[in-house]
Amino acid sequence: MRHAQSPDRQVERPAAAAEGDQPPLHSFPGMLDRLGYGCLVLSETKKVLKWNATARVILSGYGSQVNNADGLSGALRSLIANVPCHLNPGSFAWIVVRSSGDRPVVINERGLFAADNTIVVALLDRETKSAPNPQTLQRMFGLTGAETHLAVRLAKGYTPLEIAESCALSRTTIRTQLASLFAKTETRRQAELVTLLARVSVLP
């Protein structure tokens, strides 16, 4: 059975915003938040100016003080230490955080992204799991509470058997709920359903 993720590794929908966090519904960093990606805006000298809540969660493993710009800047330096990367003014780069102990991978987008010469960095932690907003799922597809719970757990990577065991439900009940999910979302297979749920995760 899948073990529950520790709080510092699980990225769903950070509830509390700290200084520098962007409003979750009205910004590019907020959209990345809902998808489980961190976002940093750096100055030309690579000091963190703005960030979202997911960035704080991801960088918490690389610094003890990540609730302010200086702490986040230090954690970012620790993350990319000894990693070849080019964070040029106006650029947009992805930093993929891999397994513990492995060096991250830095991937640069081509072209100018920020006209004010700031540097935008998106953080992707391969261990994080994002999930769609339950209320949004219910509004879009008319799901029941049980169906919504099943959909969210599937989006987080749990199998139907794991969900049945953790919720003390029979396999027949889970199969019935899954069949209803397929019908309401107009999908035919679990992989297709999970792909749809991942796309819906961008919505507030």
Side-chain angles (χ1 to χ4, degrees), residues 166-197:
S166 65
C167 297
L169 297 173
S170 69
R171 297 184 184 184
T172 300
T173 298
I174 291 296
R175 281 197 295 265
T176 300
Q177 293 176 358
L178 187 58
S180 181
L181 274 178
F182 288 153
K184 291 182 178 181
T185 59
E186 299 181 351
T187 55
R188 297 184 179 182
R189 298 182 300 276
Q190 185 175 325
E192 186 180 355
L193 172 62
V194 171
T195 298
L196 173 62
L197 294 173

Side-chain angles (χ1 to χ4, degrees), residues 128-193:
T128 62
K129 298 290 184 181
S130 61
N133 187 324
Q135 288 74 29
T136 299
L137 287 179
Q138 291 176 336
R139 290 177 59 191
M140 289 183 65
F141 303 113
L143 304 184
T144 65
E147 292 163 354
T148 301
H149 181 263
L150 175 59
V152 171
R153 296 294 292 271
L154 289 171
K156 292 179 181 179
Y158 292 89
T159 67
L161 178 58
E162 289 171 337
I163 297 169
E165 292 177 346
S166 65
C167 297
L169 297 173
S170 69
R171 297 184 184 184
T172 300
T173 298
I174 291 296
R175 281 197 295 265
T176 300
Q177 293 176 358
L178 187 58
S180 181
L181 274 178
F182 288 153
K184 291 182 178 181
T185 59
E186 299 181 351
T187 55
R188 297 184 179 182
R189 298 182 300 276
Q190 185 175 325
E192 186 180 355
L193 172 62

Side-chain angles (χ1 to χ4, degrees), residues 60-113:
S60 64
Y62 300 90
S64 58
Q65 301 293 330
V66 293
N67 289 321
N68 56 57
D70 289 339
L72 285 164
S73 298
L76 178 62
R77 287 193 297 270
S78 296
L79 172 62
I80 61 176
N82 303 317
V83 176
C85 62
H86 302 284
L87 302 179
N88 299 317
S91 66
F92 178 29
W94 290 87
I95 298 179
V96 182
V97 182
R98 303 192 292 178
S99 302
S100 177
D102 288 341
R103 295 199 306 174
V105 175
V106 180
I107 303 173
N108 290 88
E109 295 276 0
R110 293 184 178 180
L112 182 68
F113 184 81

Side-chain angles (χ1 to χ4, degrees), residues 7-96:
D8 62 332
R9 302 297 288 175
Q10 186 172 355
V11 177
E12 296 176 15
R13 292 176 179 275
E19 177 188 355
D21 290 352
Q22 299 299 293
L25 303 182
H26 306 290
S27 66
F28 177 68
M31 183 178 295
L32 290 180
D33 239 341
R34 295 195 295 269
L35 291 171
Y37 299 131
C39 184
L40 301 169
V41 178
L42 313 180
S43 68
E44 294 184 56
T45 59
K46 300 180 179 60
K47 179 178 179 179
V48 174
L49 301 175
K50 298 179 182 179
W51 58 91
N52 65 6
T54 304
R56 287 190 292 115
V57 173
I58 293 175
L59 289 177
S60 64
Y62 300 90
S64 58
Q65 301 293 330
V66 293
N67 289 321
N68 56 57
D70 289 339
L72 285 164
S73 298
L76 178 62
R77 287 193 297 270
S78 296
L79 172 62
I80 61 176
N82 303 317
V83 176
C85 62
H86 302 284
L87 302 179
N88 299 317
S91 66
F92 178 29
W94 290 87
I95 298 179
V96 182

